Amino acid sequence: MRSGALTPLSAVLVAPDFSAVTGTSFPEVLGALLPIALITAVAVLVVSAFAWGVAAGLGNWQTVAKARIGVLVAMGGAFLSGAGLAWLNWLLETGAHF
C-alpha cells in the first residue's frame, strides 16, 4: 500500500487528543479556567452594579444604561461559563459510550 493512499472510513478513529497539554488532561485545564471566568464575571457584575447605583443616584441616565448592559453581560458570561462546562461534560460522557 502506498504511503499516500487513503484508508477505509471504518479504519479511521476520530477522537479528541487530551494529551495536547503536557502533563494534564483537557477536562483539568477547563476546570482550572472556570474559576477565572467566574471571578471575572463577578468582578464585572460588582463594578457595573456599583456604577449603576451611583449613576442612578446622580441622575446620569446614559451611564445607567451602560452599567445595566454591563450587569447583563456579566450575568450572561457567568451563565455561559457554567453552561459551557456542563455541556462539555455531557459531550465527553456521551463520547465515552461510543
Side-chain angles (χ1 to χ4, degrees), residues 41-83:
V42 169
V44 170
L45 180 68
V46 168
V47 170
S48 295
F50 178 76
W52 188 354
V54 170
L58 294 175
N60 190 345
W61 302 110
Q62 292 85 6
T63 306
V64 168
K66 291 178 184 178
R68 187 181 325 137
I69 291 173
V71 167
L72 293 174
V73 166
M75 290 176 15
F79 173 76
L80 287 176
S81 64

Side-chain angles (χ1 to χ4, degrees), residues 7-51:
T7 59
L9 288 178
S10 61
V12 176
L13 176 64
V14 178
D17 182 17
F18 291 131
S19 65
V21 179
T22 307
T24 58
S25 65
F26 186 64
E28 290 175 357
V29 171
L30 288 179
L33 291 177
L34 181 65
I36 295 170
L38 291 177
I39 289 170
T40 304
V42 169
V44 170
L45 180 68
V46 168
V47 170
S48 295
F50 178 76

